[in-house]
Amino acid sequence: MLVKHVFGSLLGGLLLILATVPGALAHHGWSWTEDGNIELTGVITEARLGNPHGRLTVQVEDEQWLVEVGQPWRNERAGLTDQMLSPGSEITAIGQRSADADERRMKAERMVIDGKEYVLYPDRD
């Protein structure tokens, strides 16, 4: 009986959290991106790797872009290391840009570093 009460309380709390943070949930996945891929080539100026996914600030000519890469396990599976994604590294990111035209942000499906392609999302084009 106590286990049922504790489980019910935990489930209720989780549902409450999910109901109150729709923006955080909508951010994940691809719903915030537009269809079609773009390609950006630039130099990483800042990197924050880890969960829920890595985020790179990339200088592309005179603009700064935020490039979202995979979760640590996805980056590792693709063959990427944290050192490859460190500041000063030149990358080409191929993926979908934000549907908000005012935002310089993209979600990378593939990356090219030193002429080698790393596929983060093999099930995407």
Side-chain angles (χ1 to χ4, degrees), residues 56-107:
L56 308 173
T57 302
V58 179
Q59 189 70 37
V60 180
E61 296 179 8
D62 61 346
E63 297 180 332
Q64 280 199 334
W65 280 75
L66 178 63
V67 177
E68 295 188 4
V69 294
Q71 304 90 335
W73 65 267
R74 185 177 299 279
N75 296 341
E76 184 178 328
R77 184 181 71 185
L80 289 169
T81 65
D82 289 358
Q83 183 178 357
M84 293 172 167
L85 301 176
S86 63
S89 300
E90 182 176 278
I91 63 164
T92 297
I94 300 103
Q96 294 179 312
R97 74 169 293 151
S98 172
D100 180 348
D102 294 331
E103 190 173 40
R104 290 186 197 100
R105 180 169 62 127
M106 73 171 302
K107 186 165 185 170

Side-chain angles (χ1 to χ4, degrees), residues 4 6 11 17-20 23 31 38 42 44 46 48-50 58 64 68 79-80 83 86-87 93-94 105 107 122:
K4 188 175 180 180
V6 170
L11 182 59
I17 290 169
L18 293 176
T20 58
S31 63
I38 64 167
I44 299 171
E46 187 177 334
R48 188 189 62 74
L49 302 173
V58 179
Q64 280 199 334
E68 295 188 4
L80 289 169
Q83 183 178 357
S86 63
I94 300 103
R105 180 169 62 127
K107 186 165 185 170

Side-chain angles (χ1 to χ4, degrees), residues 10-23:
L10 289 174
L11 182 59
L14 178 60
L15 291 174
L16 178 63
I17 290 169
L18 293 176
T20 58
V21 287

